[in-house]
């Protein structure tokens, strides 16, 4: 703190109050020894009258070094000089004298160019502080304004240490000069209410309008650890995540906490899914555990004891002597990595949220025994804040990953989400490093496909019937209105439009095609509607009928939408129920073995399943899982057939379903198409599978006009005899479980474009009288079920 020229008071060094204290103690003392000692100091002070009267020029204080030491002997016990950090000073000046040996050593280590300055205290704040001291000391106010004061002083190693300062002002007195302004209570209250109005404070406390005389006793307390921990907490709370420069800042803070100039900080992330250690994205921090590697299995990275301590028990693992640790553990990978980096001692601290390990904080030193179990406990206070920061970082990364996947891939099935997350991490890492970032295609090799569908039988015919009914109803309503119009006020145009309506009615009753529907729409829009608008205004008695007609038609299409809506609503409800049922059953199937699943709703529900080793590298794949999934699929299709009909109980519209399963005996490759946002087969040969899927539901039994898919039956399409043998075993099992009927048909299919040589097994589905199926219900055939539903 440099000497202040512009201040509310002038400052003089004076020992008058110290002398008053000595005289008072002598008068109160009962000991003759003490009295003689104090009298000798008082007599000694008489030989330096200028120190008592006051010295304004303090540039030549060296000549008074012995005198100040003797006069302050009572306040600076020699026994404490190596422990206390204390010195006398001229108030609000940078002059220190009579420092304790510890204080003198601290200043010496700081270097000859170091100047002692208070932290974060500007001139205006000091000026107001001086004014408040006047108000409290001279006027007797009790205004709390003094802020905690800190000095930052480097040690001999260049590590900045923090010291909290306290100032004893018992040996100071203040008096006004002729320029001082009398401060009334009203003025004082105004000043307190306007602490930021510096000009007001200067107005009532002009520069050098007061005089301060005496000495102050400055005492320092080393609060480096507390202050560093506070700084670390503030940094961690302020930062939403780790960023460039964070590790350097953390290293400096931990160097102060541990007083180790070469202390290094590292972070290693933990992936619970793969039980592996990973480096932080963007190389934001070193990993002493991994060294040059970006990822490694936890158990391979360290010994069993360190793994159990860190990963399982979430406790500090301390290595005070790396060479000794290496010898005891046969120079395992952890020891080799540490020695390669010349780390002689280290602390590995788990960053854990509850029972979930998030990562490892690494403190490393190039000296043996610098880091050990005793000083590891210094981390206890900061670990919760590190946990919060790493949690925020993890959430931020997860949100970014999800955002990338959502924008690049749309919704992804959980079974393959892991590979998209890995690609998203690479995408983000490239962005962070300023590289070109593109999301690569995701592919899986050698997977087995399973396909199934349950479709509404004759959906096109049912939809056309519904449309036909609506058109006929609408034409009939128009015809009735025209009859009324002819009765009320006959006109030839009415007869001509009526003729057109009746002609269209006859044609629609015979058959409905796309052109007929379009012609009816044009007739209604261009001939009927203008005529009805005319009648509505010219023939009042027709208004009620015309209003009823307009209320019956859809505002958007201009057509009646009753039966078609009933059909669409029924199909939508059935599809939603079947999709929900399949989704619930599919969750059970994931327990067999993790696999990819997707379904689509059209006039029914289709589903694709892909299973294979490449999709779940952490699980060992066996064809047994494929067989289990095929049996699950067949069983689920039977249950979906039951669900399909039971959801229609009491419905006005009754629909039928036909189910199909495609067996593909060889593996194929699938690729996620970034432009289409979906998985598709990869390669020309594999495309045959997609062709078969699109055409088999319309395939015919060889030598007949009968479609392979029939209501009340499940058709299993295959090409290899081994597939027929496999599914025959499944069918017999489900016959015994009363899912399927006793009759099995083996048929060949007519060739369709691009697909030849297909065969099929067809078997009846057995239905239950109620759901869910528990095995005790009455088992019935499709015909019996239709009777119950009717």
């Amino acid at each position: 703190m440099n000497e202040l020229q512009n201040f509310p008071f002038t400052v003089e060094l004076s020992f008058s109050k110290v002398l008053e204290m000595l005289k008072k103690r002598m008068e109160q003392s009962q000991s003759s020894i003490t009295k003689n000692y104090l009298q000798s100091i008082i007599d000694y002070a008489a030989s330096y009258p200028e120190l008592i009267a006051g010295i304004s020029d303090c540039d030549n204080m060296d000549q008074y070094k012995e005198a100040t030491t003797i006069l302050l002997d009572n306040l600076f016990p020699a026994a404490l000089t190596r422990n206390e950090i204390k010195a006398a000073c001229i108030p609000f000046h940078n002059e220190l004298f009579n420092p304790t040996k510890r204080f003198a050593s601290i200043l010496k280590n700081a270097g000859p160019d170091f100047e002692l300055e208070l932290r974060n205290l500007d001139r205006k704040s000091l000026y107001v502080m001086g004014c408040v001291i006047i108000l409290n000391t001279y006027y007797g106010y009790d205004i709390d304004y003094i802020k905690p004061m800190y000095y930052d002083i480097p040690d001999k190693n260049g590590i900045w240490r923090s010291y909290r300062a306290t100032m004893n002002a018992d040996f100071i007195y203040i008096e006004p000069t002729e320029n001082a302004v009398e401060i009334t209570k009203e003025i004082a209250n105004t000043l307190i209410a306007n602490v930021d109005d510096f000009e007001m404070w200067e107005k009532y406390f002009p520069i050098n309008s007061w005089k301060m005389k005496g000495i102050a006793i400055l005492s320092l307390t080393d609060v480096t650890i507390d202050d560093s921990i506070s700084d670390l907490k503030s940094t961690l709370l302020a930062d939403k995540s780790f960023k460039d420069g964070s590790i350097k800042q953390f290293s400096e803070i931990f160097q102060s906490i541990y007083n180790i100039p070469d202390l290094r900080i590292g972070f290693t992330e933990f992936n619970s899914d793969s039980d592996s250690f990973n480096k932080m994205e963007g190389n934001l921090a070193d990993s002493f555990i991994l060294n040059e590697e970006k990822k490694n299995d936890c158990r391979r990275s360290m010994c069993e004891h360190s793994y159990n301590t860190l990963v399982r028990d979430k406790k500090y693992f301390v290595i005070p002597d790396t060479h000794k640790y290496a010898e005891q553990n046969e120079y395992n990978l952890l020891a080799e990595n540490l020695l390669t980096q010349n780390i002689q001692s280290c602390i590995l601290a788990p960053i854990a949220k509850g029972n979930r390990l998030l990562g490892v904080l690494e403190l490393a030193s190039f000296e043996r025994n610098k880091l050990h179990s005793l000083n590891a406990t210094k981390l206890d206070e900061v670990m919760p804040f590190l946990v919060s920061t790493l949690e925020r970082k993890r959430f931020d990364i997860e949100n970014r990953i999800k955002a990338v996947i959502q924008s690049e891939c749309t919704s992804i099935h959980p079974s393959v989400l892991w590979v998209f997350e890995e690609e998203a991490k690479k995408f983000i890492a490239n962005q962070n490093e300023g590289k070109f970032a593109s999301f690569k295609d995701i592919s899986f090799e050698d997977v087995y496909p399973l396909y199934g569908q349950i479709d509404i039988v004759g959906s096109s015919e049912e939809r056309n019937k519904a449309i036909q009914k609506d058109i006929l109803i609408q034409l009939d309503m128009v015809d009735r209105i025209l009859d009324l119009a002819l009765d009320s006020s006959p006109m030839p145009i009415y007869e001509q439009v009526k003729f057109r309506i009746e002609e269209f009615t006859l044609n629609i009753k015979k058959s409905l095609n796309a052109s007929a529907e379009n012609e009816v729409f044009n007739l209604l829009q261009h001939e009927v509607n203008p005529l009805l608008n005319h009648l509505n205004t010219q023939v009042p008695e027709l208004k009620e009928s015309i209003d009823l007609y307009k209320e019956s038609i859809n505002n958007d299409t201009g057509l009646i939408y009753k039966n078609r809506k009933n059909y669409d609503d029924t199909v939508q409800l059935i599809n939603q129920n079947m999709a929900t049922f399949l989704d619930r059953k599919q969750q059970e199937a994931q327990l067999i073995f993790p696999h990819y699943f997707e379904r689509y709703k059209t006039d029914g529900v289709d589903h694709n399943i892909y299973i294979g080793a490449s999709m779940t590298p952490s699980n060992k794949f066996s064809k047994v899982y494929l067989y289990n999934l095929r049996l699950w699929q067949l069983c689920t299709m039977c249950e979906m057939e039951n669900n399909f009909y039971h959801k229609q109980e009491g419905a006005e519209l009754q629909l039928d379903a036909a189910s199909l399963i495609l067996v593909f005996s060889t593996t194929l490759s699938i690729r996620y198409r970034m432009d289409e946002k979906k998985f598709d087969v990869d390669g020309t040969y594999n495309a045959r599978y997609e062709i078969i899927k699109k055409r088999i539901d319309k395939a015919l039994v060889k030598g007949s006009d009968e479609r392979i898919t029939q209501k009340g039956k499940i058709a299993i399409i295959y090409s290899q005899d081994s597939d027929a043998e496999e599914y025959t075993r499944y069918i017999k099992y489900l016959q015994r479980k009363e899912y399927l009927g006793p009759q099995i048909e083996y048929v060949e299919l007519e060739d369709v474009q691009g697909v030849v040589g297909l065969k099929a097994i067809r078997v009846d589905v057995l239905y239950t009288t109620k759901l869910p199926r528990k095995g005790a219900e009455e088992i019935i055939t499709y015909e019996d079920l239709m009777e119950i539903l009717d």
Side-chain angles (χ1 to χ4, degrees):
M1 178 172 56
N2 296 321
E3 183 174 350
L4 298 173
Q5 301 297 327
N6 299 320
F7 216 55
F9 38 63
T10 59
V11 180
E12 293 183 4
L13 172 67
S14 170
F15 283 81
S16 60
K17 281 241 174 183
V18 174
L19 199 62
E20 289 178 11
M21 180 268 296
L22 293 175
K23 290 179 178 178
K24 190 172 183 179
R25 281 193 59 195
M26 186 182 69
E27 293 172 358
Q28 295 174 345
S29 176
Q30 302 296 318
S31 168
S32 58
I33 297 175
T34 302
K35 284 179 178 288
N36 292 333
Y37 166 69
L38 293 174
Q39 185 62 57
S40 64
I41 294 177
I42 295 169
D43 293 342
Y44 179 80
S47 58
Y48 293 95
E50 65 273 29
L51 293 180
I52 308 303
I55 301 174
S56 57
D57 183 9
C58 300
D59 293 336
N60 298 313
M61 284 301 297
D62 286 344
Q63 62 180 311
Y64 298 111
K65 184 175 182 180
E66 181 182 354
T68 57
T69 301
I70 294 172
L71 291 174
L72 295 173
D73 184 62
N74 265 268
L75 301 174
F76 290 80
L80 301 178
T81 189
R82 296 185 182 277
N83 183 48
E84 291 185 338
I85 309 172
K86 191 162 68 172
C89 67
I90 302 171
F92 293 96
H93 280 62
N94 216 14
E95 288 292 330
L96 298 179
F97 52 93
N98 200 48
T100 61
K101 287 187 176 181
R102 185 179 176 188
F103 201 167
S105 176
I106 290 171
L107 294 176
K108 180 181 179 182
N109 291 334
D113 297 328
F114 174 74
E115 291 186 5
L116 199 63
E117 291 187 8
L118 284 169
R119 181 199 302 172
N120 298 328
L121 203 60
D122 57 24
R123 174 187 171 268
K124 290 182 178 180
S125 297
L126 277 173
Y127 197 102
V128 173
M129 184 185 295
C131 298
V132 172
I133 290 173
I134 295 171
L135 290 172
N136 289 345
T137 305
Y138 187 82
Y139 288 102
Y141 290 104
D142 186 16
I143 302 171
D144 183 11
Y145 178 76
I146 306 299
K147 300 178 181 179
M149 297 183 295
Y150 293 91
Y151 289 106
D152 294 312
I153 307 173
D155 65 10
K156 60 182 178 181
N157 295 315
I159 295 177
W160 286 87
R161 305 194 66 79
S162 300
Y163 298 89
R164 185 174 64 248
T166 55
M167 193 79 69
N168 186 332
D170 290 345
F171 307 107
I172 291 173
Y173 65 91
I174 296 172
E175 56 187 24
T177 67
E178 59 185 12
N179 296 324
V181 176
E182 179 66 24
I183 305 299
T184 64
K185 188 174 182 179
E186 290 72 23
I187 294 175
N189 291 336
T190 302
L191 289 168
I192 294 171
N194 295 275
V195 68
D196 295 326
D197 190 345
F198 182 67
E199 292 181 357
M200 180 183 293
W201 286 88
E202 278 192 318
K203 173 185 175 183
Y204 290 107
F205 293 94
I207 294 172
N208 297 332
S209 59
W210 290 76
K211 182 182 291 186
M212 176 181 285
K213 297 180 67 173
I215 64 166
I217 308 299
L218 174 66
S219 298
L220 303 186
T221 304
D222 191 337
V223 292
T224 303
I225 293 179
D226 293 340
D227 205 39
S228 297
I229 289 174
S230 178
D231 287 346
L232 182 60
K233 290 177 181 179
S234 299
T235 302
L236 292 173
L237 290 173
D239 288 346
K240 291 184 178 179
S241 183
F242 292 104
K243 56 188 178 183
D244 290 340
S246 293
I247 300 303
K248 183 177 183 298
Q249 186 178 8
F250 293 159
S251 296
E252 293 173 351
I253 293 173
F254 277 109
Q255 286 168 3
S256 296
I257 293 174
Y258 280 88
N259 197 24
I260 301 176
D262 64 357
L263 185 72
R264 293 178 61 194
I265 300 297
F267 284 93
T268 300
E269 294 186 335
F270 176 72
N271 187 326
S272 58
D273 294 331
S274 58
D275 198 32
S276 62
F277 287 132
N278 304 329
K279 274 193 175 181
M280 293 183 73
E281 290 87 355
N283 294 319
L284 292 176
D286 291 328
S287 171
F288 307 130
I289 293 175
L290 295 173
N291 195 12
E292 298 298 327
E293 294 183 278
K294 290 188 175 181
K295 180 179 180 180
N296 207 344
D297 178 78
C298 290
R299 293 185 180 275
R300 182 175 176 271
S301 299
M302 52 183 52
C303 65
E304 186 71 19
H305 176 54
S306 57
Y307 175 86
N308 290 336
T309 304
L310 270 176
V311 179
R312 190 187 66 186
D313 299 334
K314 319 293 187 300
K315 295 181 179 179
Y316 301 149
F317 184 74
V318 184
I319 303 177
D321 187 335
T322 307
H323 285 279
K324 187 175 180 180
Y325 170 80
E327 292 172 0
Q328 292 173 343
N329 291 276
E330 301 178 351
Y331 287 86
N332 64 359
L333 183 59
L334 176 60
E336 287 184 1
N337 283 339
L338 294 176
L339 291 174
T340 300
Q341 299 167 87
N342 194 30
I343 294 170
Q344 303 299 318
S345 61
C346 67
I347 298 172
L348 305 179
I351 305 173
K353 180 75 172 179
N355 199 38
R356 186 176 74 254
L357 181 65
L358 304 175
V360 178
L361 168 66
E362 306 164 335
L363 275 62
S365 173
F366 299 129
E367 295 184 49
R368 296 184 184 183
N369 298 313
K370 278 290 186 179
L371 296 169
H372 44 75
S373 299
L374 292 176
N375 58 18
T377 57
K378 291 184 178 182
L379 294 174
D380 291 349
E381 284 194 54
V382 300
M383 290 308 291
F385 297 90
L386 280 168
V387 170
S388 298
T389 301
L390 211 59
E391 269 281 276
R392 290 197 302 272
K393 174 186 177 297
R394 186 175 68 85
F395 285 137
D396 182 52
I397 290 293
E398 286 180 356
N399 289 335
R400 289 185 67 188
I401 289 172
K402 289 176 182 177
V404 168
I405 292 174
Q406 191 67 28
S407 64
E408 299 290 332
C409 315
T410 68
S411 181
I412 300 300
H413 191 264
S415 62
V416 294
L417 184 61
W418 63 271
V419 72
F420 287 89
E421 288 179 341
E422 290 295 325
E423 191 59 39
K425 288 178 182 178
K426 295 176 185 176
F427 185 97
I428 292 170
N430 287 335
Q431 282 187 332
N432 291 339
E433 294 172 12
K435 298 178 181 178
F436 175 72
S438 64
F439 205 97
K440 298 179 181 177
D441 282 353
I442 304 296
S443 62
F444 295 101
E445 306 289 334
D446 296 324
V447 296
Y448 292 92
L450 291 87
Y451 174 74
Q453 68 176 41
I454 177 169
D455 272 358
I456 295 172
V457 175
S459 57
S460 297
E461 291 82 354
E462 291 292 339
R463 185 180 289 105
N464 285 339
K465 285 180 184 178
I467 295 171
Q468 185 182 41
K469 288 180 181 178
D470 285 337
I471 291 176
L472 291 174
I473 291 171
Q474 189 165 358
L475 292 176
D476 182 64
M477 292 184 74
V478 173
D479 190 56
R480 290 174 183 272
I481 292 172
L482 291 174
D483 282 339
L484 294 173
L486 287 169
D487 291 342
S488 176
S489 55
M491 292 182 68
I493 188 65
Y494 301 163
E495 292 185 5
Q496 188 269 335
V497 174
K498 178 176 171 58
F499 171 77
R500 295 263 288 158
I501 293 295
E502 291 173 349
E503 185 180 35
F504 271 99
T505 300
L506 289 174
N507 292 334
I508 296 297
K509 284 182 178 179
K510 290 178 183 178
S511 65
L512 177 70
N513 53 52
S515 61
E517 185 179 356
N518 191 51
E519 288 173 2
V520 169
F521 178 78
N522 288 330
L523 171 67
L524 293 170
Q525 289 293 107
H526 300 117
E527 297 185 43
V528 172
N529 288 348
L531 181 60
L532 293 181
N533 290 335
H534 167 77
L535 291 173
N536 197 32
T537 57
Q538 298 300 319
V539 186
E541 54 265 40
L542 295 181
K543 187 177 187 308
E544 184 177 348
S545 298
I546 294 173
D547 288 346
L548 179 62
Y549 169 79
K550 289 184 176 181
E551 289 174 4
S552 301
I553 63 176
N554 184 277
N555 292 329
D556 296 327
T557 64
L559 298 172
I560 287 179
Y561 186 56
K562 179 182 178 183
N563 290 282
R564 173 66 185 275
K565 184 177 186 302
N566 185 30
Y567 173 83
D568 288 344
D569 289 348
T570 302
V571 170
Q572 183 179 6
L573 179 61
I574 290 173
N575 281 352
Q576 185 59 49
N577 285 332
M578 286 195 297
T580 302
F581 178 82
L582 184 58
D583 288 344
R584 187 171 63 251
K585 296 294 292 185
Q586 207 277 324
Q587 291 175 7
E588 300 172 7
Q590 289 292 341
L591 300 177
I592 297 173
F593 191 84
H595 57 272
Y596 179 79
F597 170 84
E598 61 182 2
R599 58 154 178 78
Y600 305 97
K601 290 186 290 186
T602 53
D603 283 343
V605 176
D606 300 7
H607 67 269
N608 286 317
I609 295 174
Y610 299 105
I611 183 172
S614 61
M615 290 188 140
T616 53
S618 59
N619 294 359
K620 187 175 181 180
F621 177 73
S622 166
K623 288 192 75 173
V624 171
Y625 298 121
L626 172 65
Y627 302 146
N628 267 276
L629 204 56
R630 284 175 171 174
L631 178 57
W632 167 87
Q633 183 188 37
L634 181 55
C635 182
T636 299
M637 294 297 289
C638 294
E639 294 181 357
M640 286 183 70
E641 281 266 355
N642 273 267
N643 186 274
F644 178 91
Y645 288 107
H646 281 282
K647 290 299 180 182
Q648 295 186 73
E649 288 185 30
E652 180 181 342
L653 179 64
Q654 295 291 327
L655 301 174
D656 286 311
S659 297
L660 174 150
I661 289 174
L662 172 60
V663 184
F664 203 74
S665 55
T666 57
T667 61
L668 46 77
S669 299
I670 60 173
R671 181 178 297 274
Y672 192 88
R673 307 293 181 185
M674 300 306 299
D675 51 346
E676 299 176 12
K677 310 296 186 188
K678 71 182 186 71
F679 273 105
D680 199 358
V681 294
D682 192 28
T684 305
Y685 172 75
N686 294 328
R688 179 173 179 268
Y689 173 72
E690 287 295 326
I691 294 172
I692 295 173
K693 276 171 45 179
K694 292 176 181 177
R695 296 176 180 171
I696 51 171
D697 63 329
K698 293 180 176 60
L700 303 177
V701 176
K702 199 165 191 175
S704 73
D705 294 329
E706 180 186 347
R707 283 176 59 165
I708 186 60
T709 53
Q710 295 291 319
K711 60 185 179 183
K713 298 177 183 290
I714 290 180
I716 302 166
I717 315 298
Y718 66 95
S719 59
Q720 305 290 331
D721 290 340
S722 58
D723 295 331
E725 294 173 4
E726 178 186 341
Y727 273 84
T728 299
R729 293 194 297 270
Y730 301 154
I731 290 169
K732 289 181 177 179
Y733 168 73
L734 292 178
Q735 285 173 335
R736 192 178 66 186
K737 298 276 289 183
E738 298 183 308
Y739 275 73
L740 296 173
Q743 300 300 319
I744 304 176
E745 299 176 79
Y746 296 90
V747 298
E748 294 184 17
L749 303 185
E750 291 282 4
D751 296 342
V752 294
Q753 184 181 2
V755 182
V756 296
L758 292 180
K759 303 175 183 179
I761 305 174
R762 205 160 56 180
V763 60
D764 293 337
V765 178
L766 293 181
Y767 300 90
T768 62
T769 55
K770 61 181 179 179
L771 289 176
R773 186 184 190 118
K774 297 181 180 178
E777 297 87 351
E778 179 187 352
I779 305 302
I780 57 177
T781 64
Y782 170 79
E783 289 74 17
D784 295 332
L785 178 67
M786 290 300 101
E787 290 183 14
I788 292 175
L789 294 179
D790 288 341

